[in-house]
Amino acid sequence: MKDCNERLKAMPFGGLYEIFGRANKLEEQGKRVIHMEIGRPDYDSPDFAKEGVKKALDKGQVHYTDINGIKPLRKAICEKEERRFGLKYDYETEISVMCGAAEVIGVIMLTMLNPGEEIICPSPFFSAYREQAIIAGVKLVEVPVLMVDNWELRIEEIEKRITKNTKMILLNSPNNPAGYVLDKENLQKIANIAKERDLIVVSDECYDEFIYGQEHVSISTLEDMRERTLVVKSTSKSFSMTGWRVGYVLGPLNAIKYINKVHQNFSTCVTAFAQWGAVEAFKHGDNFIDDMVKEFKRRGDYLYDAFTKIDGLKMIKPKGAFYAFPDITAFGMTETDFCNYLMDEAGVVGVPGTAFGDYGKGHIRLAYCRSYEDIVEACYKIKEALGKL
Ligand SMILES: Cc1ncc(COP(=O)(O)O)c(C=O)c1O
């Protein structure tokens, strides 16, 4: 077979997969491994959503559906968005349901950008952004957001990276992996730049529900921002439905109609019966979400207290999402060596911060969406392992 296209040759292999592979091997050998590498809630999906799927299958909902999602799902999503976040979108024209937020973001890049154009993106970021930009033939320009700055996004860092090729700002709040939340004041400054420079804003709000002690603000709700913002969301985290592959985008019709075109030519539609199950999640899931988020806060609080008692590990308490992203530079190891050490000595699997962009350097990510008991055990074992260094 001939080589893949030139763009894809820039796509890194190895790294992460090596760590996952090693973790699986250790487990096969009978070693106790605590998986804190994957951003997947440990909860089962809600029963009422599963019942929805069963009923749909019995009724023969096994065929292609509307490209942009079945009408009852679009309606249920828009009702939930208004109920919980005050977002108002027309379920007929201003939403498209796709195979997870991952498909949504890739499709947005392919739809809205010309090859060679640039996306400004606060870094560290969700690792797929970088690879999707490579696939789309566009440039992801990293803007540092650093722990030494209290994870505050410095607007001047965005301004100085804008070029004539910049067309989009890609935000993610609450943030994976750093756990920060962009407040209204910060968002307003970003909105001002977007308006001044006529940029599209893609706002990845997959963790909108996982926010501890403050309000989630969508940049789309700020003055004159609705018409230039695409809001990306998913059932994956909020309803613990990562394997269902149901995500969606909310935005103005003139963008959604082209987004639908690209999506149609990739996946046609989301699995029919998964969509029917998701309807039930959006209709009846508020208590499920609230209970899960409360429990995740308990786990995050425990982990933060435990980590602050470990010499050398520096961390700021996450305000949202469900990741710890401590600074490990005091240990004088590379991120990968540190993760391997934790795996061998503590049986805890984490992800090197460099997987999340250039400014993830000096950090590792540990997902605290595992059981409370696992978190307690992991904290104890990490403290013990690091105490030996
Ligand atoms: C910030 C962020 N965006 C998007 C996604 C993708 O979510 P989905 O499962 O809906 O594709 C993830 C998954 O981890 C994520 O962390």
Side-chain angles (χ1 to χ4, degrees):
M1 176 60 73
K2 287 195 176 192
D3 268 1
C4 68
N5 72 41
E6 290 303 318
R7 294 197 308 280
L8 259 73
K9 289 183 187 161
M11 196 105 95
F13 278 92
L16 265 188
Y17 292 99
E18 260 164 49
I19 297 229
F20 296 163
R22 282 200 65 222
N24 291 340
K25 227 181 230 154
L26 285 177
E27 219 166 20
E28 275 162 31
Q29 289 162 6
K31 185 168 171 166
R32 162 109 173 106
V33 170
I34 304 176
H35 290 280
M36 295 180 76
E37 75 279 32
I38 307 168
R40 165 178 94 68
D42 62 325
Y43 279 51
D44 196 357
S45 302
D47 284 339
F48 41 86
K50 292 198 216 170
E51 284 308 317
V53 174
K54 290 177 200 164
K55 274 194 200 139
L57 281 170
D58 288 343
K59 285 187 181 162
Q61 301 287 4
V62 293
H63 302 290
Y64 294 138
T65 72
D66 288 349
I67 304 298
N68 55 345
I70 56 172
K71 196 183 275 201
L73 178 56
R74 284 182 274 121
K75 194 161 185 281
I77 292 173
C78 290
E79 281 168 6
K80 186 238 179 194
E81 289 299 340
E82 184 162 4
R83 186 168 72 241
R84 289 182 74 92
F85 299 108
L87 302 188
K88 291 194 181 108
Y89 285 89
D90 176 2
Y91 69 88
E92 295 284 10
T93 56
E94 294 183 316
I95 175 170
S96 184
V97 180
M98 290 188 227
C99 302
E103 189 200 349
V104 174
I105 298 161
V107 164
I108 288 175
M109 288 185 194
L110 287 165
T111 309
M112 307 305 290
L113 300 173
N114 294 300
E117 287 182 331
E118 295 173 12
I119 307 171
I120 294 272
C121 185
S123 166
F125 47 67
F126 172 48
S127 45
Y129 296 166
R130 185 162 47 187
E131 304 202 346
Q132 288 178 328
I134 294 172
I135 294 167
V138 298
K139 189 171 165 195
L140 194 80
V141 178
E142 303 193 27
V143 177
V145 182
L146 306 174
M147 202 177 104
V148 286
D149 293 333
N150 220 1
W151 296 122
E152 291 281 336
L153 179 60
R154 289 195 279 134
I155 296 302
E156 64 276 16
E157 294 293 333
I158 292 189
E159 268 167 343
K160 68 184 185 206
R161 285 172 176 80
I162 295 180
T163 72
K164 63 178 186 344
N165 292 326
T166 308
K167 191 159 174 198
M168 183 180 278
I169 302 182
L170 172 51
L171 302 173
N172 170 222
S173 172
N175 181 261
N176 169 17
Y180 66 77
V181 170
L182 295 171
D183 62 17
K184 200 166 179 175
E185 204 181 312
N186 248 258
L187 291 171
Q188 188 58 60
K189 288 183 190 159
I190 299 168
N192 293 345
I193 294 183
K195 285 187 273 183
E196 265 167 45
R197 304 296 192 111
D198 193 19
L199 305 175
I200 299 166
V201 174
V202 176
S203 181
D204 179 343
E205 300 177 22
C206 281
Y207 296 91
D208 54 357
E209 298 284 5
F210 296 88
I211 190 153
Y212 314 113
Q214 71 190 92
E215 189 199 358
H216 171 70
V217 181
S218 173
I219 192 166
S220 65
T221 59
L222 305 185
E223 200 182 340
D224 296 332
M225 284 306 290
R226 192 182 191 281
E227 68 214 47
R228 60 174 66 253
T229 306
L230 294 164
V231 179
V232 180
K233 301 211 184 187
S234 176
T235 58
S236 286
K237 320 287 171 176
S238 312
F239 299 114
S240 194
M241 286 169 47
T242 52
W244 293 51
R245 311 310 302 136
V246 183
Y248 53 100
V249 53
L250 304 164
L253 165 67
N254 62 341
I256 296 289
K257 71 177 181 195
Y258 290 106
I259 284 170
N260 279 335
K261 265 267 166 238
V262 178
H263 157 65
Q264 168 184 8
N265 285 294
F266 275 120
S267 55
T268 309
C269 64
V270 173
T271 309
F273 40 88
Q275 291 191 58
W276 284 101
V279 172
E280 302 307 313
F282 282 98
K283 277 189 176 165
H284 309 295
D286 289 10
N287 291 341
F288 176 91
I289 295 171
D290 293 340
D291 290 348
M292 182 166 60
V293 173
K294 198 166 150 207
E295 169 60 12
F296 279 27
K297 181 178 183 313
R298 186 170 83 103
R299 296 173 188 183
D301 286 351
Y302 180 88
L303 181 140
Y304 175 72
D305 283 346
F307 275 20
T308 49
K309 292 187 187 113
I310 299 177
D311 278 346
L313 219 51
K314 281 185 271 167
M315 166 174 175
I316 289 174
K317 194 168 186 177
K319 292 182 176 161
F322 40 66
Y323 305 101
F325 201 57
D327 178 310
I328 52 136
T329 47
F331 297 95
M333 282 189 238
T334 67
E335 300 79 13
T336 304
D337 286 350
F338 189 89
C339 284
N340 281 325
Y341 179 78
L342 277 194
M343 200 179 338
D344 292 333
E345 288 293 322
V348 175
V349 193
V351 181
T354 40
F356 308 99
D358 293 349
Y359 298 99
K361 200 167 166 42
H363 294 262
I364 63 155
R365 191 191 78 174
L366 294 162
Y368 60 79
C369 46
R370 319 297 342 146
S371 75
Y372 189 81
E373 292 69 29
D374 277 2
I375 305 290
V376 173
E377 186 183 339
C379 289
Y380 173 78
K381 286 184 166 167
I382 291 171
K383 187 175 168 67
E384 205 179 42
L386 295 182
K388 290 183 198 164
L389 288 170

